[in-house]
Amino acid sequence: MEQQTPKKRRRFGDRYDGRKLRSLDPLNMVAPFIMPTRTGSSNYYYGTVELDKADPYIRQKRVEGLKGFGLLAFFVAMYVRILSQRPGLNRFVAGRRLFARHHIDINLVIKKDMTLEGQETGVKFRCQPTDTAEDVYRRLVEAVTEGKEQGDSNGVDSYARILKRIPRSFLHFFVWLMTKLDYFGLMPKAINHVSPFHCTLFLADLGSIGLPPVHHHLYDFGTCPMFVIFGRKYKKTVTDKDGSPREVRCVDYTLTLDERVCDGFYFSGVLKMMEDIFKNPAQLDNPPEKVVEDVE
């Protein structure tokens, strides 16, 4: 049976998708009023990681039967593992308040066919903080397989098709209304469930189309606090501590983070965890010893 993260009893001010944080420092509580939008509170980070440990790990996973296991699954598994220890990354701002999200929802954008005319769709799937790399891979494959089916294969397609047919003035009113309802935590759950803008993380693999990563903005609509993009693999020469050169395979990535969800010290710990997982990827084969819960 799949292990679920226990939810705290709902209190006044909580939302159905998140728990209101009440014990944060005063500056954290005031920040959403000073920076009311995600666009205005976005921090951008560009990093590079070596793949000398990750590449053999990925190849081993394929040998074990996870045929489509690649950097995309690796990044998702790594992020889920980091969230199990640094739950502050899974916060979001809504209604000028800061909330701890109840679930880990990952969103991707894929094309049903790799052609200029191929339909684009969103793929959103839910993970558990106790998930291993194999658990994440199977969730990812299931979601992508459904999303790649021709036609309106998931809720994102169906809702987008309906909205496309609405007259412009009514569509404008509908989006305005959903924005206001979401401000107070009253957006219909059915829409929140399929909305690609209400998630833990937006992830994009530009390496699959041979491009380097770009810095992507956050969306003011919805509750997504982070965008992660990684590019194509490449080789470069680095210098070891003893001065000798060596060639390594690397991948560049970008992070766009809503700075209101956590401070720089907290985020620096996240980056260190990320580097550690790339150096020791086998830790993703087992559930974390303990899942850390966010503050009250």
Side-chain angles (χ1 to χ4, degrees):
M1 179 179 293
E2 186 176 86
Q3 182 177 351
Q4 301 286 336
T5 302
K7 293 201 316 183
K8 295 179 179 293
R9 181 175 59 85
R10 184 168 179 174
R11 296 187 289 174
F12 179 78
D14 292 347
R15 294 163 52 107
Y16 60 77
D17 55 351
R19 170 175 58 84
K20 181 181 175 181
L21 296 173
R22 297 169 169 84
S23 64
L24 298 177
D25 295 334
L27 185 59
N28 296 111
M29 307 293 280
V30 174
F33 292 87
I34 299 174
M35 297 176 288
T37 66
R38 286 183 190 82
T39 304
S41 58
S42 295
N43 282 336
Y44 299 89
Y45 180 84
Y46 191 99
T48 302
V49 288
E50 297 180 11
L51 301 174
D52 56 327
K53 301 296 184 181
D55 271 347
Y57 178 81
I58 290 172
R59 288 194 294 269
Q60 180 60 35
K61 289 294 145 190
R62 293 173 179 173
V63 171
E64 293 173 0
L66 309 184
K67 297 182 180 180
F69 195 95
L71 263 183
L72 179 61
F74 186 90
F75 263 90
V76 177
M78 175 183 64
Y79 195 77
V80 170
R81 179 55 50 86
I82 291 173
L83 283 183
S84 74
Q85 306 303 305
R86 294 290 187 274
L89 279 186
N90 203 16
R91 298 171 183 169
F92 64 91
V93 176
R96 309 291 174 88
R97 295 287 187 267
L98 202 54
F99 296 85
R101 196 185 308 272
H102 289 319
H103 303 288
I104 300 176
D105 291 326
I106 310 296
N107 193 78
L108 315 169
V109 175
I110 64 172
K111 289 180 75 70
K112 294 178 183 289
D113 294 310
M114 295 302 289
T115 63
L116 291 177
E117 298 78 20
Q119 181 181 345
E120 192 174 74
T121 186
V123 170
K124 184 175 173 180
F125 61 101
R126 180 163 294 176
C127 296
Q128 297 297 324
T130 53
D131 280 352
T132 63
E134 182 173 346
D135 295 329
V136 168
Y137 167 78
R138 300 197 184 284
R139 297 182 195 276
L140 173 62
V141 169
E142 181 180 357
V144 171
T145 300
E146 178 187 15
K148 280 185 172 292
E149 294 178 3
Q150 294 301 316
D152 298 338
S153 57
N154 58 26
V156 177
D157 291 334
S158 300
Y159 272 88
R161 185 78 61 184
I162 294 173
L163 294 177
K164 177 183 177 182
R165 296 171 180 170
I166 297 177
R168 182 173 56 180
S169 58
F170 288 101
L171 178 57
H172 177 77
F173 172 75
F174 176 79
V175 174
W176 174 86
L177 178 61
M178 291 301 104
T179 302
K180 294 302 180 184
L181 290 175
D182 198 27
Y183 183 94
F184 296 104
L186 300 175
M187 173 185 282
K189 292 182 180 180
I191 295 179
N192 183 294
H193 179 69
V194 301
S195 168
F197 308 104
H198 293 76
C199 62
T200 299
L201 170 73
F202 242 109
L203 182 62
D205 173 11
L206 291 190
S208 63
I209 53 177
L211 295 177
V214 300
H215 287 290
H216 201 289
H217 62 89
L218 296 177
Y219 297 100
D220 288 328
F221 181 79
T223 58
C224 181
M226 179 172 280
F227 217 114
V228 176
I229 301 178
F230 64 94
R232 61 177 179 262
K233 299 178 183 179
Y234 65 94
K235 294 181 180 179
K236 74 173 183 179
T237 301
V238 299
T239 303
D240 287 332
K241 293 181 179 180
D242 60 2
S244 59
R246 63 184 176 93
E247 190 177 65
V248 296
R249 284 171 61 83
C250 300
V251 65
D252 297 331
Y253 65 93
T254 61
L255 303 175
T256 305
L257 173 71
D258 183 347
E259 70 165 282
R260 299 171 297 178
V261 304
C262 60
D263 59 35
F265 183 80
Y266 193 97
F267 186 60
S268 67
V270 169
L271 295 177
K272 291 176 182 177
M273 286 189 65
M274 183 175 176
E275 293 176 359
D276 179 66
I277 291 175
F278 266 97
K279 293 178 181 178
N280 304 282
Q283 62 187 282
L284 299 177
D285 290 337
N286 300 303
E289 295 182 2
K290 178 184 178 182
V291 174
V292 178
E293 290 198 28
D294 207 345
V295 299
E296 286 296 327

